[in-house]
Each structure stands twice: as structure tokens, then as C-alpha cells.
């Protein structure tokens, strides 16, 4: 039986503090903050520096960009409007957005289950203010297409969430930032959350950092947030660990916030947690609505991670164990620390048996079905066979100077990836060469690469990090 006493949370706090100090020191992560809620108690641990330019320390109440964790908030807002009869999850998006021109078979539920096929993962229109999301939807018609028929595949979709944000503006009459504050921040009790850099600067807020590839010295990002057009996908919302713990606890409690406010019905909360689509491949866990459902043995971890310029966040909710874990590190390498802590919480704190995801590599796999060129929005992946392994060469192909500027700043100046080799786990599933197999047991199963829909001896899709590229 797991000890749920204060002493158990003290052990959790000490463990996170120890892991954070060791990892940040050896991997050049300036600062880290994390929190755990379990069975009525919670702890928050902060370590290091929030901004190397100012020397500001990372504190328990330091704010940070949520990144794509925002997608679960956006989905919650959509479910709220569905409950109120303002939105029909099974209706075509064009019923509410006639200007949406990517097809009348994309349904509202496709937007929040990542099954819409919108090919806009790197589409960054630079618009600000009240009309930012209007500009985004308008730009889709000229700049983006679709990767697959709605409901046919699963591909992590920034574009779907942003269209959902614009849809919310239309049916409520409120700008997305105002809706987020009124319908989530306030009733959940996210008292230190905001939606802009102008608001964030009024309190302690962390910034992301990038590592110099030669000196390995960390430098603060030159771009704090993505454009306003990316708000619903995670570009602009900012808050604290306590705020995300409160949001996670709301989903633990069937839609009731820690203060007792009803934010979402129990039925809608459960619907978000149910399987909406399953690719049946280890590197892409089953998708709910908003939540990704990571299986760890018999335990399901509802999770979403979020990248921001030079930073990475995570939110995990474990309904079977009444636990929420959330964290932020101000260098992208902190995702490894997130994974370490999550696996410690599961294995040591909760006693969950986590089986190995990949136990061995298969030899003699025919590699020819996977060779070819795969494309998605502004991204090209060339796959060939070299020395009996797959080799991938990924090229960023910016649509215009504005897109190149924003993505380059988001990536810290480096947009070119070196070639990498993949070794077969089994037909259609590959692991990056040189990684210990236990690397993929946790959240980092996303590093595996899969190929799908083989027809006439050729795969139609490549899946890396949950995102599809299509053979051309």
C-alpha cells in the first residue's frame, strides 16, 4: 500500500529537489520548477535561475509559458460550449466558420482529437490583437492544405487547436484571451495566470534559454512568446505550477475546481479522457480529447507537454492514483528531467509496475517500404538506407521570410538537423540508433519513429514525435 502521509510527500519533494539539482548541473539547464499533488497534499520545488540575463532565481511562484499544455485548456473551453448547446462536436467546422476552406468534412471533434489532417504545424502568421485568430484562419486557405482525410489518421495538430480557438471566439463573441480568463482562470483558481508578455512582466516570470553548441553555455531567448495567432495552441498563456496543479486537480475531480466551482460536467471531463483515436503504435499513445493517454503498465497517465522558445513544460494527471504532476524547465533538454521524475513517481512513489516498451531490436527487416521523401508544412524528410539502417535527413523549407524569422527565433537560431540513423524494432517501427532501449519506456517513447499505411510496398506516412509527414 502506498503511504499517502505528509512524510510521503516530503520524500517526493526531496527526490525532485535532488534530481533537479543533479540534472540541471550536468545538462546546463538554468532553472526548473515542479509540483506534485497527491491525495489532498501538494508540494512545489524550485531550483536554479529563471533568467540568466537578470539573475532572477526560479521560485515556487515563478510564471512560465504553458506551451502546448494550453491545448488541454482550449479543449476544456470547447467542451464547455458543447455542454451549453452552443457547439456541436459532431458538426462540420464550416457551420460556425464559413471562411474555413480546408474542407466541409472536418468536424469540431476532429480539431481537438488531432485527427483533422490540417497541414499547418509550422504555419506562423505574425498577427497581433483581437483579429489574430481571424488572420490565422484566413491564411490557412492560401498557405496550407491537408495531410489526410479527417478521422483517417492521427497527427499532432497545432492548426486544429488554433481553429478551435477561433471557433470559440465566434460562438461566444469573446476574444480567446478573455474567454480563457473568464471561463478557466477564474473558476479554476489560476490566480497568477495571464495571456500576454505585457501582463507577465508585472510579476516574476521565467524565460527560455538555448545552449551554444560549441561552449554549451546557456543564453536567454531573444523571443519570449510566439505570435498571438498561436494562443490557443500554446503560444501565449502564462502561469505558475500552482495554477497548473489547480487545473489538473479540476480534471481529477470530475470538473470541479479546488475551490468548489463547477468548471466542466463530470460527463464532459470523462469524455476528454476516453480514447478518441488510437494509431496502435507505441510512439503515439491513444488520444483523448485534448489529453494524450500514455499507458504505463496498467496505469494511464493523461498528459500534455509544451515547448516554448527555449523552454518546456508538462502536465500529467493520474486519475487512478489521485495525482497531478507538472513541471517547467527553461531549456528544452529539461524534457528528459520531466521523464525521469514522472517515472520515479510511478515506480517508486506509487509502486506502478512499468514494463519495458521495447525489449529487443529485430534484424532482417525489409527497409525498402520506408525509403522515399515525406513532406508536411515547410518540412521535408528524406529517408534512405545506409549501412543497413534507415537514415533520415530533415530539411526546413520556409514559406517566406516572416515564417523563417519566427521559426528560427523559436528554435534558437538552429533549424538544420544533422542526419540520423534508425534501427528497426519491428517492421514499421524504428528507434534512433545508439539509445539504450529503456530510454523509450517513459514519455520519451515519442523519440521512436513509425511508418504507416503501406500500399504496393510503400509506406504513405512517416510518424515522428506524433506528427505525420506524407510520402510525395
Amino acid at each position: 500500500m502506498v503511504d499517502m502521509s505528509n512524510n510521503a510527500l516530503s520524500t517526493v519533494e526531496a527526490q525532485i529537489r535532488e534530481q533537479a539539482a543533479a540534472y540541471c548541473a550536468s545538462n546546463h539547464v538554468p532553472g526548473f520548477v515542479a509540483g506534485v499533488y497527491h491525495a489532498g497534499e501538494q508540494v512545489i520545488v524550485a531550483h536554479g535561475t529563471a533568467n540568466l540575463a537578470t539573475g532572477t532565481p526560479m521560485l515556487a511562484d515563478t510564471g512560465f509559458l504553458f506551451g502546448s499544455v494550453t491545448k488541454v485548456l482550449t479543449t476544456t473551453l470547447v467542451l464547455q460550449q458543447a455542454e451549453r448547446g452552443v457547439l456541436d462536436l459532431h458538426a462540420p467546422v464550416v457551420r460556425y466558420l464559413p471562411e474555413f476552406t480546408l474542407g466541409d468534412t472536418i468536424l469540431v471533434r476532429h480539431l481537438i482529437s488531432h485527427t483533422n489532417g490540417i497541414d499547418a504545424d509550422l504555419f506562423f502568421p505574425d498577427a497581433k490583437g483581437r483579429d489574430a485568430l481571424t488572420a490565422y484562419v484566413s491564411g490557412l486557405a492560401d498557405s496550407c492544405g491537408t495531410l489526410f482525410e479527417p478521422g483517417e489518421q492521427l497527427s499532432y495538430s497545432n492548426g486544429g487547436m488554433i481553429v478551435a480557438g477561433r471557433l470559440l471566439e465566434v460562438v461566444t463573441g469573446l476574444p480567446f484571451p478573455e474567454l480563457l480568463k473568464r471561463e478557466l482562470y477564474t473558476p479554476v483558481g489560476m490566480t497568477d495566470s495571464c495571456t500576454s508578455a505585457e501582463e507577465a512582466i508585472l510579476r516574476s516570470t521565467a524565460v527560455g534559454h538555448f545552449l551554444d553548441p560549441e561552449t554549451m553555455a546557456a543564453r536567454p531567448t531573444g523571443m519570449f512568446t510566439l505570435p498571438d495567432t498561436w494562443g490557443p495552441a500554446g503560444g501565449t498563456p502564462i502561469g505558475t505550477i500552482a495554477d497548473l496543479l489547480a487545473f489538473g486537480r479540476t480534471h481529477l475531480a470530475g470538473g470541479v475546481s479546488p475551490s468548489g466551482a463547477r468548471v466542466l460536467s463530470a460527463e464532459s471531463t470523462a469524455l476528454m479522457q476516453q480514447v478518441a483515436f488510437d494509431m496502435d503504435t507505441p510512439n503515439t499513445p491513444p488520444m483523448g480529447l485534448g489529453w494524450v493517454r500514455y499507458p504505463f503498465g496498467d496505469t494511464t497517465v493523461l498528459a500534455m507537454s509544451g515547448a516554448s522558445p527555449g523552454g518546456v513544460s508538462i502536465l500529467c494527471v493520474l486519475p487512478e492514483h489521485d495525482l497531478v504532476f507538472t513541471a517547467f524547465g527553461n531549456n528544452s533538454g529539461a524534457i528528459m528531467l520531466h521523464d525521469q521524475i514522472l517515472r520515479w513517481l510511478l515506480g517508486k512513489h506509487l509502486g506502478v509496475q512499468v514494463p519495458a516498451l521495447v525489449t529487443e531490436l529485430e534484424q532482417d527487416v525489409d527497409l525498402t517500404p520506408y525509403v522515399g521523401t515525406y513532406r508536411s508544412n515547410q518540412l521535408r524528410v528524406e529517408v534512405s538506407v545506409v549501412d543497413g539502417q534507415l537514415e533520415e535527413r530533415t530539411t526546413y523549407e520556409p514559406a517566406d521570410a516572416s515564417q523563417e524569422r519566427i521559426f528560427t527565433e523559436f528554435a534558437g537560431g538552429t533549424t538544420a538537423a544533422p542526419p540520423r540513423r534508425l534501427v528497426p524494432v519491428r517492421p514499421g517501427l524504428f528507434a534512433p540508433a545508439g539509445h539504450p532501449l529503456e530510454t523509450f519506456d517513459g514519455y520519451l517513447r515519442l523519440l521512436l519513429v513509425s511508418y504507416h499505411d503501406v500500399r504496393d510496398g510503400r509506406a504513405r506516412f512517416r510518424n515522428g514525435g506524433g506528427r505525420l509527414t506524407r510520402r510525395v
Side-chain angles (χ1 to χ4, degrees):
M1 180 177 294
V2 175
D3 182 4
M4 296 184 182
S5 66
N6 288 336
N7 182 59
L9 264 289
S10 296
T11 301
V12 168
E13 181 178 3
Q15 178 67 26
I16 294 176
R17 196 174 302 280
E18 178 181 335
Q19 285 187 250
Y23 185 90
C24 290
S26 60
N27 293 277
H28 312 284
V29 177
F32 184 78
V33 60
V36 174
Y37 165 86
H38 186 203
E41 303 290 337
Q42 71 181 42
V43 294
I44 299 176
V45 175
H47 172 83
T49 305
N51 184 344
L52 288 178
T54 62
T56 304
M58 188 77 83
L59 303 174
D61 64 348
T62 296
F64 54 88
L65 281 156
F66 291 161
S68 287
V69 170
T70 302
K71 290 179 171 66
V72 190
L73 279 68
T74 299
T75 302
T76 301
L77 291 172
V78 170
L79 268 291
Q80 284 179 338
Q81 299 306 315
E83 285 180 7
R84 296 167 188 174
V86 177
L87 276 178
D88 181 352
L89 296 181
H90 302 284
V93 172
V94 292
R95 175 186 297 181
Y96 308 100
L97 294 177
E99 66 272 29
F100 179 73
T101 60
L102 293 185
D104 56 10
T105 59
I106 297 179
L107 309 182
V108 174
R109 63 180 174 84
H110 290 141
L111 300 178
I112 53 177
S113 63
H114 299 269
T115 56
N116 50 78
I118 296 172
D119 187 14
D121 208 45
L122 296 179
F123 178 50
F124 297 99
D126 193 9
K128 299 182 182 297
R130 178 64 178 86
D131 296 325
L133 301 189
T134 302
Y136 184 93
V137 174
S138 175
L140 285 176
D142 299 324
S143 304
C144 303
T146 56
L147 285 167
F148 51 82
E149 290 298 314
E152 177 188 79
Q153 303 282 350
L154 170 66
S155 184
Y156 186 87
S157 177
N158 288 304
M161 285 292 170
I162 299 169
V163 173
R166 175 57 188 151
L167 189 153
L168 285 166
E169 290 186 333
V170 169
V171 300
T172 65
L174 291 174
F176 181 81
E178 290 185 24
L179 185 69
L180 185 61
K181 292 175 182 178
R182 189 185 77 176
E183 299 294 346
L184 281 186
Y185 287 176
T186 297
V188 170
M190 302 172 71
T191 55
D192 290 316
S193 290
C194 60
T195 58
S196 71
E198 290 80 5
E199 294 169 292
I201 201 172
L202 300 177
R203 62 182 316 281
S204 174
T205 304
V207 303
H209 295 74
F210 296 97
L211 297 183
D212 184 296
E214 294 184 2
T215 66
M216 296 305 290
R219 60 172 176 81
T221 176
M223 178 176 70
F224 179 54
T225 69
L226 286 168
D228 289 356
T229 51
W230 270 53
T236 55
I238 302 153
T240 63
I241 288 293
D243 290 341
L244 285 185
L245 286 173
F247 179 77
R249 290 175 61 186
T250 300
H251 279 265
L252 273 183
V256 178
S257 76
S259 66
R262 169 65 69 182
V263 177
L264 197 63
S265 71
E267 293 77 14
S268 293
T269 306
L271 181 62
M272 286 181 61
Q273 299 178 13
Q274 295 170 9
V275 176
F277 198 93
D278 188 353
M279 288 282 284
D280 193 28
T281 183
N283 59 318
T284 302
M287 178 64 68
L289 298 181
W291 292 113
V292 183
R293 295 171 44 93
Y294 285 82
F296 286 86
D298 295 331
T299 293
T300 296
V301 176
L302 306 172
M304 183 58 71
S305 64
S308 52
V312 62
S313 63
I314 194 169
L315 175 64
C316 300
V317 173
L318 286 68
E320 299 154 59
H321 296 277
D322 193 25
L323 186 143
V324 180
F325 163 59
T326 186
F328 170 80
N330 57 4
N331 173 263
S332 61
I335 190 66
M336 303 284 287
L337 179 55
H338 297 345
D339 184 56
Q340 288 179 13
I341 295 172
L342 175 59
R343 289 210 262 177
W344 183 90
L345 286 169
L346 286 162
K348 301 297 185 183
H349 181 61
L350 298 175
V352 172
Q353 297 295 315
V354 180
L357 191 69
V358 178
T359 56
E360 60 183 354
L361 300 176
E362 191 170 328
Q363 306 303 317
D364 302 328
V365 171
D366 181 9
L367 303 181
T368 55
Y370 319 114
V371 172
T373 299
Y374 300 81
R375 287 213 60 193
S376 62
N377 179 260
Q378 303 178 67
L379 201 67
R380 174 185 294 271
V381 183
E382 301 280 355
V383 181
S384 59
V385 176
V386 179
D387 298 329
Q389 299 176 342
L390 286 186
E391 181 177 89
E392 294 188 338
R393 293 177 177 266
T394 300
T395 305
Y396 172 55
E397 300 176 330
D400 54 46
S402 175
Q403 300 289 287
E404 183 174 19
R405 174 184 59 81
I406 293 169
F407 181 65
T408 300
E409 290 182 0
F410 175 74
T414 303
T415 58
R420 70 168 182 168
R421 297 285 184 86
L422 301 174
V423 293
V425 176
R426 64 181 191 223
L429 182 65
F430 295 82
H435 286 262
L437 297 186
E438 60 268 21
T439 301
F440 313 113
D441 291 345
Y443 198 82
L444 297 180
R445 65 190 71 188
L446 291 175
L447 295 175
L448 298 170
V449 174
S450 58
Y451 292 84
H452 300 271
D453 198 2
V454 177
R455 301 183 186 181
D456 300 321
R458 293 156 56 94
R460 288 181 65 212
F461 296 100
R462 171 193 173 273
N463 181 342
R467 293 167 163 86
L468 292 187
T469 47
R470 185 177 59 196
R471 180 188 288 274
V472 295

PDB file of all heavy atoms in Angstrom, residues 451-462:
ATOM      1  N   TYR A 451       6.159   4.071 -39.423  1.00  0.00           N
ATOM      2  CA  TYR A 451       5.687   4.280 -40.794  1.00  0.00           C
ATOM      3  C   TYR A 451       4.354   3.554 -40.936  1.00  0.00           C
ATOM      4  O   TYR A 451       4.158   2.470 -40.380  1.00  0.00           O
ATOM      5  CB  TYR A 451       6.704   3.752 -41.805  1.00  0.00           C
ATOM      6  CG  TYR A 451       7.978   4.561 -41.823  1.00  0.00           C
ATOM      7  CD1 TYR A 451       8.987   4.313 -40.903  1.00  0.00           C
ATOM      8  CD2 TYR A 451       8.156   5.577 -42.750  1.00  0.00           C
ATOM      9  CE1 TYR A 451      10.155   5.066 -40.899  1.00  0.00           C
ATOM     10  CE2 TYR A 451       9.321   6.335 -42.763  1.00  0.00           C
ATOM     11  CZ  TYR A 451      10.313   6.074 -41.834  1.00  0.00           C
ATOM     12  OH  TYR A 451      11.459   6.833 -41.837  1.00  0.00           O
ATOM     13  N   HIS A 452       3.432   4.162 -41.694  1.00  0.00           N
ATOM     14  CA  HIS A 452       2.056   3.680 -41.705  1.00  0.00           C
ATOM     15  C   HIS A 452       1.480   3.586 -43.118  1.00  0.00           C
ATOM     16  O   HIS A 452       1.939   4.264 -44.035  1.00  0.00           O
ATOM     17  CB  HIS A 452       1.185   4.624 -40.861  1.00  0.00           C
ATOM     18  CG  HIS A 452       1.614   4.716 -39.432  1.00  0.00           C
ATOM     19  ND1 HIS A 452       1.147   3.875 -38.457  1.00  0.00           N
ATOM     20  CD2 HIS A 452       2.519   5.526 -38.826  1.00  0.00           C
ATOM     21  CE1 HIS A 452       1.722   4.180 -37.302  1.00  0.00           C
ATOM     22  NE2 HIS A 452       2.559   5.174 -37.500  1.00  0.00           N
ATOM     23  N   ASP A 453       0.439   2.774 -43.196  1.00  0.00           N
ATOM     24  CA  ASP A 453      -0.376   2.637 -44.403  1.00  0.00           C
ATOM     25  C   ASP A 453       0.478   2.231 -45.602  1.00  0.00           C
ATOM     26  O   ASP A 453       0.609   2.965 -46.589  1.00  0.00           O
ATOM     27  CB  ASP A 453      -1.117   3.953 -44.685  1.00  0.00           C
ATOM     28  CG  ASP A 453      -2.295   3.748 -45.642  1.00  0.00           C
ATOM     29  OD1 ASP A 453      -2.533   2.588 -46.035  1.00  0.00           O
ATOM     30  OD2 ASP A 453      -2.947   4.743 -45.997  1.00  0.00           O
ATOM     31  N   VAL A 454       1.066   1.047 -45.504  1.00  0.00           N
ATOM     32  CA  VAL A 454       1.899   0.532 -46.593  1.00  0.00           C
ATOM     33  C   VAL A 454       0.997   0.020 -47.719  1.00  0.00           C
ATOM     34  O   VAL A 454       0.154  -0.859 -47.502  1.00  0.00           O
ATOM     35  CB  VAL A 454       2.827  -0.592 -46.101  1.00  0.00           C
ATOM     36  CG1 VAL A 454       3.626  -1.172 -47.266  1.00  0.00           C
ATOM     37  CG2 VAL A 454       3.760  -0.066 -45.011  1.00  0.00           C
ATOM     38  N   ARG A 455       1.159   0.587 -48.888  1.00  0.00           N
ATOM     39  CA  ARG A 455       0.390   0.187 -50.060  1.00  0.00           C
ATOM     40  C   ARG A 455       1.360  -0.054 -51.220  1.00  0.00           C
ATOM     41  O   ARG A 455       2.229   0.788 -51.469  1.00  0.00           O
ATOM     42  CB  ARG A 455      -0.624   1.262 -50.465  1.00  0.00           C
ATOM     43  CG  ARG A 455      -1.632   1.621 -49.384  1.00  0.00           C
ATOM     44  CD  ARG A 455      -2.636   2.633 -49.899  1.00  0.00           C
ATOM     45  NE  ARG A 455      -3.525   3.101 -48.841  1.00  0.00           N
ATOM     46  CZ  ARG A 455      -4.517   3.978 -49.042  1.00  0.00           C
ATOM     47  NH1 ARG A 455      -4.745   4.450 -50.268  1.00  0.00           N
ATOM     48  NH2 ARG A 455      -5.277   4.364 -48.029  1.00  0.00           N
ATOM     49  N   ASP A 456       1.187  -1.174 -51.886  1.00  0.00           N
ATOM     50  CA  ASP A 456       2.069  -1.529 -53.012  1.00  0.00           C
ATOM     51  C   ASP A 456       3.537  -1.448 -52.608  1.00  0.00           C
ATOM     52  O   ASP A 456       4.394  -0.978 -53.379  1.00  0.00           O
ATOM     53  CB  ASP A 456       1.803  -0.612 -54.210  1.00  0.00           C
ATOM     54  CG  ASP A 456       0.374  -0.713 -54.710  1.00  0.00           C
ATOM     55  OD1 ASP A 456      -0.158  -1.837 -54.718  1.00  0.00           O
ATOM     56  OD2 ASP A 456      -0.202   0.335 -55.074  1.00  0.00           O
ATOM     57  N   GLY A 457       3.814  -1.886 -51.372  1.00  0.00           N
ATOM     58  CA  GLY A 457       5.188  -1.933 -50.908  1.00  0.00           C
ATOM     59  C   GLY A 457       5.792  -0.604 -50.514  1.00  0.00           C
ATOM     60  O   GLY A 457       7.007  -0.505 -50.325  1.00  0.00           O
ATOM     61  N   ARG A 458       4.960   0.441 -50.330  1.00  0.00           N
ATOM     62  CA  ARG A 458       5.460   1.767 -49.975  1.00  0.00           C
ATOM     63  C   ARG A 458       4.597   2.363 -48.865  1.00  0.00           C
ATOM     64  O   ARG A 458       3.362   2.387 -48.974  1.00  0.00           O
ATOM     65  CB  ARG A 458       5.430   2.709 -51.181  1.00  0.00           C
ATOM     66  CG  ARG A 458       6.403   2.345 -52.294  1.00  0.00           C
ATOM     67  CD  ARG A 458       5.964   2.884 -53.640  1.00  0.00           C
ATOM     68  NE  ARG A 458       5.752   4.320 -53.626  1.00  0.00           N
ATOM     69  CZ  ARG A 458       6.675   5.222 -53.965  1.00  0.00           C
ATOM     70  NH1 ARG A 458       7.890   4.823 -54.339  1.00  0.00           N
ATOM     71  NH2 ARG A 458       6.413   6.500 -53.970  1.00  0.00           N
ATOM     72  N   ALA A 459       5.254   2.827 -47.804  1.00  0.00           N
ATOM     73  CA  ALA A 459       4.525   3.492 -46.726  1.00  0.00           C
ATOM     74  C   ALA A 459       4.031   4.859 -47.189  1.00  0.00           C
ATOM     75  O   ALA A 459       4.760   5.588 -47.875  1.00  0.00           O
ATOM     76  CB  ALA A 459       5.415   3.644 -45.504  1.00  0.00           C
ATOM     77  N   ARG A 460       2.817   5.208 -46.806  1.00  0.00           N
ATOM     78  CA  ARG A 460       2.274   6.522 -47.185  1.00  0.00           C
ATOM     79  C   ARG A 460       2.658   7.612 -46.188  1.00  0.00           C
ATOM     80  O   ARG A 460       2.750   8.789 -46.545  1.00  0.00           O
ATOM     81  CB  ARG A 460       0.748   6.465 -47.272  1.00  0.00           C
ATOM     82  CG  ARG A 460       0.200   5.708 -48.469  1.00  0.00           C
ATOM     83  CD  ARG A 460      -1.322   5.740 -48.452  1.00  0.00           C
ATOM     84  NE  ARG A 460      -1.840   7.097 -48.628  1.00  0.00           N
ATOM     85  CZ  ARG A 460      -2.973   7.536 -48.087  1.00  0.00           C
ATOM     86  NH1 ARG A 460      -3.693   6.753 -47.299  1.00  0.00           N
ATOM     87  NH2 ARG A 460      -3.390   8.766 -48.309  1.00  0.00           N
ATOM     88  N   PHE A 461       2.846   7.221 -44.909  1.00  0.00           N
ATOM     89  CA  PHE A 461       3.087   8.224 -43.878  1.00  0.00           C
ATOM     90  C   PHE A 461       4.267   7.841 -42.995  1.00  0.00           C
ATOM     91  O   PHE A 461       4.472   6.671 -42.691  1.00  0.00           O
ATOM     92  CB  PHE A 461       1.858   8.391 -42.976  1.00  0.00           C
ATOM     93  CG  PHE A 461       0.640   8.910 -43.676  1.00  0.00           C
ATOM     94  CD1 PHE A 461      -0.367   8.051 -44.079  1.00  0.00           C
ATOM     95  CD2 PHE A 461       0.500  10.269 -43.938  1.00  0.00           C
ATOM     96  CE1 PHE A 461      -1.498   8.518 -44.723  1.00  0.00           C
ATOM     97  CE2 PHE A 461      -0.620  10.747 -44.592  1.00  0.00           C
ATOM     98  CZ  PHE A 461      -1.618   9.873 -44.979  1.00  0.00           C
ATOM     99  N   ARG A 462       5.000   8.852 -42.573  1.00  0.00           N
ATOM    100  CA  ARG A 462       6.031   8.727 -41.548  1.00  0.00           C
ATOM    101  C   ARG A 462       5.525   9.459 -40.306  1.00  0.00           C
ATOM    102  O   ARG A 462       4.981  10.557 -40.392  1.00  0.00           O
ATOM    103  CB  ARG A 462       7.339   9.357 -42.018  1.00  0.00           C
ATOM    104  CG  ARG A 462       8.407   9.466 -40.929  1.00  0.00           C
ATOM    105  CD  ARG A 462       9.536  10.375 -41.362  1.00  0.00           C
ATOM    106  NE  ARG A 462      10.475  10.614 -40.273  1.00  0.00           N
ATOM    107  CZ  ARG A 462      10.351  11.578 -39.367  1.00  0.00           C
ATOM    108  NH1 ARG A 462       9.312  12.389 -39.411  1.00  0.00           N
ATOM    109  NH2 ARG A 462      11.260  11.728 -38.416  1.00  0.00           N
TER     110      ARG A 462
END
